[in-house]
Amino acid sequence: MSTDYKPGGKAADIIKNITGSGRLPHAFIIEGGGDEAAELAKYLSAFAVCSEQDKPCTHCKNCVNAFAKTHADITYVTPDSSSKSKTLTIDRIRELIKDAYILPNDSDSKVYIFENADSVFSEITQNAFLKLLEEPPKGVYFILLCQSAKGLLPTIISRCSMINLGGEAEINEEAQKAAEEIANGIISLSEYDLLLALRSLADKVLADDILRAVKLILFDAVTVLSGAKASYKPELAKKLSSRFTRKKLLDMIELTDSSKYKLKQNININLLTTQLCGEYRRISWQR
């Protein structure tokens, strides 16, 4: 028994970039997509456990079991049956953490898939899960499926490779250009360059898209450091990944996310850009 499933359309391009090096980032968020997201999660889990060089081969025992959802090393994490709220409990997360450190049975990897992650996780359990997500044992992977990543903490989102299948609106060229200037400002040794680039956020119509594009560029850089190919702005990602550590990039992603929330609260734009410039610089220079 085997499967003929292959990612198509937008997913195919994303997966090609992510798996081009033959390695997987340790964590994914698949946003939107319904049945396609579920199939893609199985495809990624098969990639992780496949025993052949051309992954996923779709016909080895590990692949067949992965697609059949019967693989001993692939766990679909669900709430306890006793949980009235149908959410993951702290005890369930503790069990998962303990299990992650147990060696796999039939392959060299273990995969944990969270269906409906935006509804089964509470803020408390996300924080309990965060330490494992940040520093998982070797060969352990996480796949979080959700309708909207807005239900997940920024600290969770920033540590995962994002795959959006929900048809998120395209970022217009003007916002992309502004985001590239901000990214170059972050790289620049001149604080003035960054402050000047951040002034583009004064355009309230474009501001949210600009920060979304900045976040995608930073994600690209983290992807490069994980050994995979950048999918959004490869040249900028390469520059950022050679200049900053993974931790610094993740801190910048979290800062960018928090700034998006401040924009919605109508914070004074001059104050925001000054704060952003200072915080990007602080992260850049910290040891």
Side-chain angles (χ1 to χ4, degrees), residues 3 12 14 35 56 63 84 110-111 118 127 168 178 203 205-206 212 232 244 258 263 279 285:
T3 178
I14 295 170
D35 291 341
C63 281
K84 295 180 181 179
K110 298 184 83 168
V111 184
D118 48 343
N127 281 317
E168 188 175 0
D203 187 332
V205 175
L206 292 179
R212 185 155 62 95
Y232 184 56
F244 303 111
S258 65
L263 274 175
E279 284 300 296
W285 295 337

Side-chain angles (χ1 to χ4, degrees), residues 24 40-50 66 74 76 111 113 143:
L24 281 182
L40 184 53
K42 287 193 286 187
Y43 182 87
L44 289 170
S45 66
F47 190 106
V49 299
C50 181
I74 300 173
Y76 284 78
V111 184
I113 299 174
I143 303 174

Side-chain angles (χ1 to χ4, degrees), residues 142-161:
F142 305 99
I143 303 174
L144 285 68
L145 283 71
C146 60
Q147 283 304 306
S148 172
K150 292 178 180 177
L152 300 173
L153 295 176
T155 46
I156 295 288
I157 296 171
S158 65
R159 283 148 179 84
C160 300
S161 292

Side-chain angles (χ1 to χ4, degrees), residues 18-200:
I18 289 174
T19 62
S21 65
R23 297 170 55 193
L24 281 182
H26 79 283
F28 292 90
I29 292 173
I30 303 177
E31 186 178 38
D35 291 341
E36 184 184 3
E39 290 299 316
L40 184 53
K42 287 193 286 187
Y43 182 87
L44 289 170
S45 66
F47 190 106
V49 299
C50 181
S51 56
E52 301 298 321
Q53 189 169 359
D54 186 17
K55 303 175 184 293
C57 70
T58 74
H59 58 262
C60 71
K61 181 181 177 182
N62 283 323
C63 281
V64 170
N65 288 341
F67 281 104
K69 298 176 69 171
T70 58
H71 199 288
D73 299 320
I74 300 173
T75 301
Y76 284 78
V77 184
T78 56
D80 296 325
S81 56
S82 60
S83 175
K84 295 180 181 179
S85 62
K86 296 183 179 180
T87 58
L88 296 169
T89 63
I90 288 291
D91 286 342
R92 185 75 180 93
I93 296 299
R94 286 172 180 160
E95 288 174 7
L96 185 154
I97 293 171
K98 190 181 295 183
D99 185 75
Y101 285 90
I102 298 173
L103 293 175
N105 295 287
D106 299 333
S107 68
D108 295 328
S109 304
K110 298 184 83 168
V111 184
Y112 296 90
I113 299 174
F114 299 80
E115 297 176 312
N116 304 311
D118 48 343
S119 60
V120 300
F121 268 117
S122 66
E123 184 173 341
I124 293 174
T125 50
Q126 285 185 69
N127 281 317
F129 172 60
L130 183 59
K131 182 64 176 176
L132 178 63
L133 184 65
E134 287 177 326
E135 300 176 7
K138 183 179 179 181
V140 172
Y141 301 91
F142 305 99
I143 303 174
L144 285 68
L145 283 71
C146 60
Q147 283 304 306
S148 172
K150 292 178 180 177
L152 300 173
L153 295 176
T155 46
I156 295 288
I157 296 171
S158 65
R159 283 148 179 84
C160 300
S161 292
M162 179 72 75
I163 300 175
N164 182 280
L165 301 178
E168 188 175 0
E170 293 291 327
I171 300 172
N172 71 42
E173 289 185 14
E174 192 176 347
Q176 290 188 55
K177 184 178 178 181
E180 290 178 46
E181 289 175 356
I182 291 172
N184 280 314
I186 292 171
I187 295 168
S188 172
L189 296 176
S190 169
E191 188 168 343
Y192 177 74
D193 289 343
L194 177 56
L195 192 57
L196 189 65
L198 287 167
R199 288 184 181 176
S200 62

